[in-house]
Amino acid sequence: MQLVISAFMLFALAGCAVQGMQDHSHHHAGHETHFEPHYSESLFKVTENKLFSVEMLLKQGNLTVGSNGVDIIIHGQGNKDVEDATIMVTPWMPEHGHGVREESVVTERGAGLYSVDNVNLTMAGLWELTVVISAAGKKDQAVFSFPGVKLERMAGHNGKHASHAAHGGHGKPRHEINLAKSVLSERKLFQVSYAASPATVPLNRIHTWEIGLQDKEGKPVTGATIKVDGDMPEHGHGLPTKPKVTKEKRPGLYIIEGMKFTMPGWWTVTFYLDTEQGTDSVTFNLDLK
Amino acid sequence: MYKRIIPIVLSVVLLAPGYSFAVHPDVHSWSNEEIALIRSLWLGSLHPLPDDPSNAYDTDTQAIAFGKKLFADSRLSANGKVSCATCHIPDKTFTDNLPVAHGMDDTTRRSMPLAGMAYSPWLFWDGRTDSLWAQALGPIESPVEHGISRTKCVIIISNHYQQEYEQIFGPIPELDKTYKETARPAPDNPEIQSQWEAVSVEDRKAITLLYANIGKAIAAFVRTIVHEASPFDEYAEALFNGDIDRAKTVLTADQAFGLKLFISKAKCINCHNGPLFTNNDFHNVGVPARKGYDPDMGRAEGINLVQANEFNCLGRLSDAGPDDCAELKYIDTDTEKYHGAFKTPSLRNVADRPPYMHAGQLKNLHEVLKFYQNEARKRSAPGNNGFGTDIVHGDITDEDIDYLIAFLRTLSGPIKSY
């Protein structure tokens, strides 16, 4: 164990040293903007060619294995808010030399704020998030590093904490995970529910789900485009199939075909919802036996 | 940044698991959660034999009987010596105990056991076919296995099985005498391919239909190959009946402890799950290629092959309806994810059929478990593992290996077929 501790400490220090050097290398160029953080809790970085500053706020307080959300605030020359930028956030595991398959979803919120969802980290360990910014014909990037990404993660989206021992056995009572089949979406735009057929989600059999989508007034939300993603937060791999919405059976009731789970344990299923009332996402937890 | 890094590093250290796993004083007592997992592995939980919608003949008793004959008929080979049963020997749990199969020549993979395969949505180590009948048509035209063509099949069937075939499937096509016996679609062999192109379009269709039909008959037989209860299943039943005294006479303490490891710390149940001890899904557990063989892409190639397979569930010769074929319609096409991934083998009767893995890389169960032990240790070492291996279990000690093997031996039971 001793060895592991020192290895991590080394990384932490090395990370800081590199960062320190970057931050103090300002004096090379003459008339650059002196960027400053605007939020006290944010992680702050100036991009490699000093064109932008990037502040990152972790929506769940930290990054964990599974799907994460971050808010990014971008400032440009003269410390001005950068709007209409194209932002790409790419996770990378430098020690393992691999990234992830899923792309993050970026939504511009105005005044230099960009909301990034589906930052999908597939395993515990050291991760880097590279933020590439293109705005007004200029492109630059900053790399944030997160040495100790863990398996632990927030339950459902109700803010209750699911404490998961990394190697806890199967079949542990998972009282703290929200297994509800009807929940409020992430941005609270919709009430979303699912019903699997057969009702008990089966292991190793392809089957169908129905998704009910309602707005805050309880009215069905029609014509939504829905994308499906599944994950095992403790293992870091997705569904063995590519499920698709095949039809809207009734207003606000969508049929999803091709659902399949091939491992017992804790699964999350996330739906990305694109509707006339706005885009949102919702995540359900399942404990499969 | 500085302030953030320190608390995160510390919490990693605090959370690092200790893997202590004390031996339970009474290994034969189980929690409700454990009983639920044992029930999920019990043969009695297996749902009824599925009826393949792409094969209209798979429950037809005449087709089953015909398929059984074809399965063992070595006339269906280029040298008159190879049948399905050459590599899938009924007395050897329908496999051959060779590291890589040998038909007309050496193949690159190990023969797979057949029991319970009607439950699998994908066949072959890479899942390159999606039904037992599409599967059966692979080896017949493979130059290293049976080494004959679909055209030759028409000749063999009309010489030896005319009546049997026609009773089930209707008339056998009359072939033009100028057709070459070796004619078959062969994109990688221009000579054979041109022989096939010399066959009229209509006859090509008729030949291929007969070929598909014999696949469907063979599949009807293979579907009937199933497992019967093993000591593990008897043990499970005794537990469900609350009869611990009986349970103790079926499994020893070591075997029961192996079961406990299998469903908990060792996490074997992640992939070897359900009553057949397989999820029939594809994983890269990190087995290196067989010495002297090219690296095998496994499922990464199977994904493209099954979609292109002329005999797949969505193809012209499939009997499936528009609502069938969900597995193929919603196939995960992410080839990168399945690089080097192979189908999880069933562990029923596993102790009876060494060697192991897709090219017989490991000689015995001890080597398999040692392999898993090393793979897990590599994985938990900091910064010391590549992308791809799906093994996430805790540390397995040398003692655990013995318990796990003792348990795997309780999974052998009779295999039944038509």
Side-chain angles (χ1 to χ4, degrees):
Chain A
M1 205 61 242
Q2 212 54 43
L3 227 154
V4 179
I5 297 175
S6 40
F8 269 110
M9 287 308 248
L10 255 173
F11 260 106
L13 295 175
C16 294
V18 171
Q19 154 112 51
M21 274 158 60
Q22 283 176 351
D23 282 356
H24 295 291
S25 57
H26 282 203
H27 55 268
H28 286 296
H31 49 279
E32 296 171 336
T33 303
H34 178 70
F35 290 106
E36 268 175 335
H38 291 58
Y39 294 81
S40 57
E41 304 271 23
S42 73
L43 310 175
F44 178 75
K45 283 227 158 193
V46 175
T47 54
E48 286 165 3
N49 297 318
K50 310 196 173 45
L51 297 179
F52 308 102
S53 77
V54 187
E55 277 172 82
M56 189 180 283
L57 287 149
L58 309 176
K59 289 186 189 173
Q60 281 100 357
N62 59 5
L63 295 184
T64 52
V65 172
S67 181
N68 293 272
V70 300
D71 278 323
I72 288 179
I73 302 114
I74 315 264
H75 290 98
Q77 300 307 307
N79 251 325
K80 288 205 188 79
D81 300 342
V82 176
E83 302 207 344
D84 290 332
T86 307
I87 311 284
M88 255 176 52
V89 177
T90 316
W92 181 251
M93 278 205 110
E95 293 176 306
H96 295 201
H98 69 76
V100 297
R101 287 168 287 120
E102 282 107 338
E103 278 181 31
S104 307
V105 181
V106 182
T107 319
E108 183 167 2
R109 303 253 181 261
L113 172 64
Y114 298 82
S115 191
V116 188
D117 287 300
N118 199 31
V119 178
N120 232 307
L121 309 185
T122 49
M123 59 193 282
L126 169 69
W127 282 91
E128 287 177 348
L129 294 188
T130 302
V131 182
V132 180
I133 303 146
S134 319
K138 292 188 185 132
K139 192 169 176 180
D140 204 353
Q141 65 170 37
V143 181
F144 292 82
S145 98
F146 301 89
V149 171
K150 297 176 303 202
L151 295 167
E152 195 181 43
R153 112 171 193 165
M154 306 298 279
H157 290 279
N158 298 1
K160 254 182 134 195
H161 217 248
S163 61
H164 262 282
H167 293 262
H170 277 295
K172 267 194 177 175
R174 295 190 155 101
H175 303 302
E176 291 146 28
I177 301 180
N178 178 11
L179 296 174
K181 295 186 173 183
S182 181
V183 298
L184 207 56
S185 60
E186 178 105 0
R187 292 173 56 209
K188 306 195 169 40
L189 293 181
F190 309 111
Q191 183 72 27
V192 192
S193 55
Y194 81 88
S197 163
T200 312
V201 174
L203 198 60
N204 299 344
R205 286 170 82 177
I206 199 155
H207 63 285
T208 301
W209 281 26
E210 286 183 5
I211 300 298
L213 190 57
Q214 296 180 342
D215 63 14
K216 273 175 279 186
E217 279 81 50
K219 289 205 199 77
V221 178
T222 63
T225 305
I226 303 179
K227 288 221 173 83
V228 194
D229 194 12
D231 187 34
M232 284 200 97
E234 291 163 309
H235 301 207
H237 55 69
L239 296 173
T241 51
K242 289 243 183 299
K244 286 189 193 90
V245 174
T246 52
K247 60 173 172 265
E248 191 174 346
K249 189 176 160 189
R250 283 202 309 271
L253 189 68
Y254 300 84
I255 307 294
I256 309 230
E257 290 186 69
M259 294 299 292
K260 193 175 179 187
F261 305 91
T262 48
M263 281 196 191
W266 177 27
W267 283 87
T268 59
V269 176
T270 302
F271 295 100
Y272 298 96
L273 312 161
D274 192 354
T275 79
E276 280 181 2
Q277 279 133 286
T279 58
D280 207 342
S281 69
V282 64
T283 299
F284 294 100
N285 294 289
L286 283 82
D287 189 6
L288 246 90
K289 298 241 168 55
Chain B
M1 218 39 197
Y2 197 89
K3 276 198 194 107
R4 282 207 69 78
I5 289 168
I6 298 306
I8 294 175
V9 170
L10 288 181
S11 54
V12 164
V13 172
L14 293 176
L15 268 179
Y19 303 126
S20 71
F21 196 92
V23 179
H24 199 282
D26 183 3
V27 291
H28 293 286
S29 83
W30 302 88
S31 70
N32 288 341
E33 293 281 346
E34 287 170 330
I35 290 286
L37 288 175
I38 292 172
R39 190 180 290 278
S40 74
L41 296 170
W42 174 51
L43 196 59
S45 302
L46 196 60
H47 55 93
L49 204 52
D51 176 357
D52 174 3
S54 74
N55 182 354
Y57 305 94
D58 73 338
T59 55
D60 178 328
T61 38
Q62 266 184 303
I64 296 170
F66 179 38
K68 183 173 180 165
K69 288 185 191 164
L70 296 174
F71 188 87
D73 192 337
S74 51
R75 287 175 299 204
L76 283 162
S77 67
N79 61 2
K81 288 182 186 154
V82 179
S83 73
C84 308
T86 305
C87 304
H88 303 286
I89 306 165
D91 292 344
K92 292 192 172 175
T93 72
F94 288 91
T95 169
D96 57 11
N97 298 117
L98 295 172
V100 290
H102 186 89
M104 294 300 301
D105 201 342
D106 273 344
T107 69
T108 55
R109 293 191 185 141
R110 203 199 80 208
S111 303
M112 302 175 85
L114 303 186
M117 274 313 119
Y119 289 91
S120 180
W122 309 110
L123 287 305
F124 288 122
W125 285 106
D126 56 5
R128 67 181 178 279
T129 62
D130 65 346
S131 69
L132 284 174
W133 67 273
Q135 185 287 323
L137 300 175
I140 298 176
E141 284 190 337
S142 159
V144 292
E145 296 181 59
H146 297 241
I148 57 169
S149 71
R150 58 190 71 183
T151 310
K152 176 83 178 180
C153 285
V154 177
I155 297 163
I156 294 168
I157 297 298
S158 64
N159 287 348
H160 304 292
Y161 292 107
Q162 188 189 359
Q163 211 191 346
E164 238 164 324
Y165 178 93
E166 292 190 338
Q167 268 176 12
I168 306 166
F169 300 107
I172 295 175
E174 290 266 346
L175 294 190
D176 188 319
K177 294 274 181 287
T178 63
Y179 295 161
K180 291 275 189 295
E181 282 191 1
T182 46
R184 63 179 171 91
D188 53 345
N189 186 331
E191 193 194 329
I192 303 275
Q193 178 68 23
S194 68
Q195 293 174 358
W196 180 240
E197 281 163 12
V199 176
S200 75
V201 174
E202 207 175 299
D203 282 348
R204 273 189 245 163
K205 270 197 176 163
I207 292 168
T208 302
L209 175 64
L210 177 137
Y211 192 51
N213 285 338
I214 67 171
K216 288 176 184 178
I218 295 172
F221 165 67
V222 174
R223 177 176 174 272
T224 70
I225 307 172
V226 292
H227 299 278
E228 294 195 300
S230 67
F232 159 74
D233 300 296
E234 282 173 44
Y235 179 77
E237 252 166 86
L239 292 182
F240 304 152
N241 296 332
D243 192 347
I244 303 293
D245 290 338
R246 167 115 204 292
K248 285 181 184 168
T249 67
V250 186
L251 255 60
T252 65
D254 285 2
Q255 290 169 333
F257 191 66
L259 167 58
K260 196 152 285 191
L261 290 169
F262 190 91
I263 63 174
S264 60
K265 180 179 98 169
K267 303 228 169 189
C268 312
I269 197 172
N270 278 357
C271 305
H272 298 283
N273 58 38
L276 296 176
F277 288 78
T278 171
N279 57 5
N280 285 316
D281 198 2
F282 303 88
H283 300 280
N284 179 344
V285 297
V287 193
R290 188 176 174 75
K291 268 214 181 75
Y293 283 63
D294 289 338
D296 192 330
M297 301 297 131
R299 180 62 171 165
E301 274 177 8
I303 290 170
N304 298 328
L305 293 171
V306 68
Q307 292 180 99
N309 186 285
E310 66 175 310
F311 302 116
N312 74 23
C313 188
L314 295 167
R316 189 172 55 85
L317 293 153
S318 159
D319 305 316
D323 291 335
D324 298 319
C325 313
E327 290 279 0
L328 191 60
K329 283 182 196 160
Y330 306 106
I331 184 172
D332 189 353
T333 50
D334 186 344
T335 50
E336 193 185 319
K337 173 170 156 192
Y338 294 103
H339 195 96
F342 294 91
K343 192 167 105 170
T344 310
S346 167
L347 296 184
R348 286 197 174 265
N349 293 79
V350 71
D352 310 338
R353 50 170 179 81
Y356 300 106
M357 303 304 183
H358 64 271
Q361 290 97 325
L362 304 175
K363 281 202 264 317
N364 50 45
L365 288 177
H366 195 259
E367 282 192 6
V368 173
L369 271 296
K370 268 285 179 198
F371 163 80
Y372 277 118
Q373 180 187 52
N374 286 334
E375 225 23 65
R377 286 184 179 166
K378 271 197 271 173
R379 197 150 182 66
S380 53
N384 189 21
N385 200 355
F387 184 55
T389 57
D390 285 346
I391 297 302
V392 289
H393 56 69
D395 195 31
I396 304 177
T397 64
D398 286 347
E399 272 187 346
D400 293 342
I401 289 184
D402 294 339
Y403 295 129
L404 281 163
I405 294 176
F407 167 63
L408 292 178
R409 293 192 192 287
T410 70
L411 297 177
S412 291
I415 287 175
K416 189 178 75 172
S417 71
Y418 172 84

